[in-house]
Amino acid sequence: MRLRQRALRAVLALGLAVGGTLAAVAPAAASASAPVPLDCSARLITGSGGHRGASITCTGSSFTGVADCRRTDNGYTYRHFGNRVPSGGTSTVWCDLGATVIGAYGTPS
């Protein structure tokens, strides 16, 4: 019985060691490839309630639209994210009511 337990522990230990080695190698291999550059265009839009936003179209890879917004009452700046879409798609992103878009672009996702 003790021999079986030792053999089982040895197999489990070996499995954990190999699994840990593979886990350590996988992120390094994944980060070796450079991100695909995006080619984007943005169009400013106004919603029915007066919200300001941007319609962003990119090619190159899937992406998420991003809008940098500034409130008109106190100058506070913040960032909103749109929907994630495939290459060639359009992501729409909105600022809060009473804010304007100061920058709009796509980020790979």
Side-chain angles (χ1 to χ4, degrees):
M1 187 95 169
R2 284 187 178 190
L3 184 57
R4 282 187 188 174
Q5 288 178 344
R6 285 184 185 178
L8 181 59
R9 285 182 186 161
V11 169
L12 289 175
L14 181 61
L16 289 174
V18 170
T21 302
L22 290 177
V25 172
S31 64
S33 63
V36 176
L38 292 175
D39 182 23
C40 299
S41 63
R43 183 175 57 93
L44 298 179
I45 55 178
T46 302
S48 61
H51 288 81
R52 305 287 182 181
S55 176
I56 304 153
T57 303
C58 299
T59 57
S61 70
S62 58
F63 70 97
T64 300
V66 180
D68 291 328
C69 307
R70 178 176 293 135
R71 287 181 47 160
T72 55
D73 58 350
N74 61 12
Y76 178 73
T77 58
Y78 59 93
R79 183 168 289 158
H80 271 186
F81 295 90
N83 52 314
R84 181 179 187 270
V85 293
S87 177
T90 299
S91 178
T92 304
V93 58
W94 296 99
C95 294
D96 296 336
L97 191 59
T100 59
V101 177
I102 58 173
Y105 54 94
T107 185
S109 61

